[in-house]
Amino acid sequence: MKVENGHSVKVHYKGTLNDGTEFDNSRARGKTLDFEVGSPRLIAGFNKAVIGMTEGETKSVTLEAEAAYGPIDPNAFQDVPRTQFGEDFKFEVGGMIKGNGPQGPFLAKIHEIQDDNIILDFNHPLAGKDLSFEIELVEVEK
């Protein structure tokens, strides 16, 4: 049976960046990714790539940033006063910060360190990047 929107599927996948760096691998976790095709839970390009596959089929696909996590949003950068961090906080450009804000938990990357402010990047870590996936369709249910 070929996969269509609305089908429940189980897949194994490996995700890599253009330079070959692996950013995710379901086999390494020992668990398939189970989802309903067409669900907004997954990136649009991944959903689209699975449509038409049959059980046991493996396919490789490269998604441009727009079909993955989107382009980098310049509005997702925010200046945060140094005083919002503990005195002993070690700032490092590219370092990740987890915290709780007015809208709940967040993850951000330190983009720039200034004298009085830290510029945080709240974009998804894979925003602006083309992604390649090797997808194996393990199971499909109507």
Side-chain angles (χ1 to χ4, degrees):
M1 161 178 22
K2 289 188 180 237
V3 173
E4 298 176 8
N5 271 324
H7 285 170
S8 293
V9 297
K10 295 181 179 190
V11 300
H12 271 301
Y13 69 95
K14 177 173 74 170
T16 55
L17 303 175
N18 284 343
D19 66 2
T21 302
E22 187 176 293
F23 64 84
D24 200 3
N25 187 329
S26 64
R27 287 193 188 281
R29 286 191 308 280
K31 186 171 191 281
T32 57
L33 172 64
D34 306 352
F35 65 99
E36 182 180 320
V37 179
S39 165
R41 188 183 103 159
L42 288 180
I43 57 177
F46 196 95
N47 261 313
K48 187 176 178 182
V50 174
I51 293 174
M53 290 182 72
T54 57
E55 275 187 25
E57 182 179 353
T58 299
K59 136 194 268 192
S60 295
V61 63
T62 298
L63 306 178
E64 292 185 9
E66 291 74 20
Y69 289 96
I72 293 175
D73 179 359
N75 296 316
F77 292 84
Q78 182 177 347
D79 289 2
V80 178
R82 277 183 181 262
T83 57
Q84 296 293 314
F85 299 88
E87 285 184 28
D88 297 333
F89 192 89
K90 303 288 186 216
F91 297 101
E92 182 179 331
V93 172
M96 299 302 287
I97 295 176
K98 290 181 183 181
N100 284 302
Q103 299 171 342
F106 68 84
L107 180 67
K109 181 169 60 174
I110 297 175
H111 178 71
E112 186 179 334
I113 302 168
Q114 300 176 338
D115 290 338
D116 296 327
N117 292 313
I118 305 301
I119 299 176
L120 297 180
D121 176 1
F122 286 90
N123 282 289
H124 187 282
L126 295 173
K129 298 182 186 322
D130 295 344
L131 307 178
S132 294
F133 291 96
E134 182 177 292
I135 304 168
E136 177 191 357
L137 183 63
V138 177
E139 187 178 313
V140 59
E141 299 174 2
K142 278 192 173 181

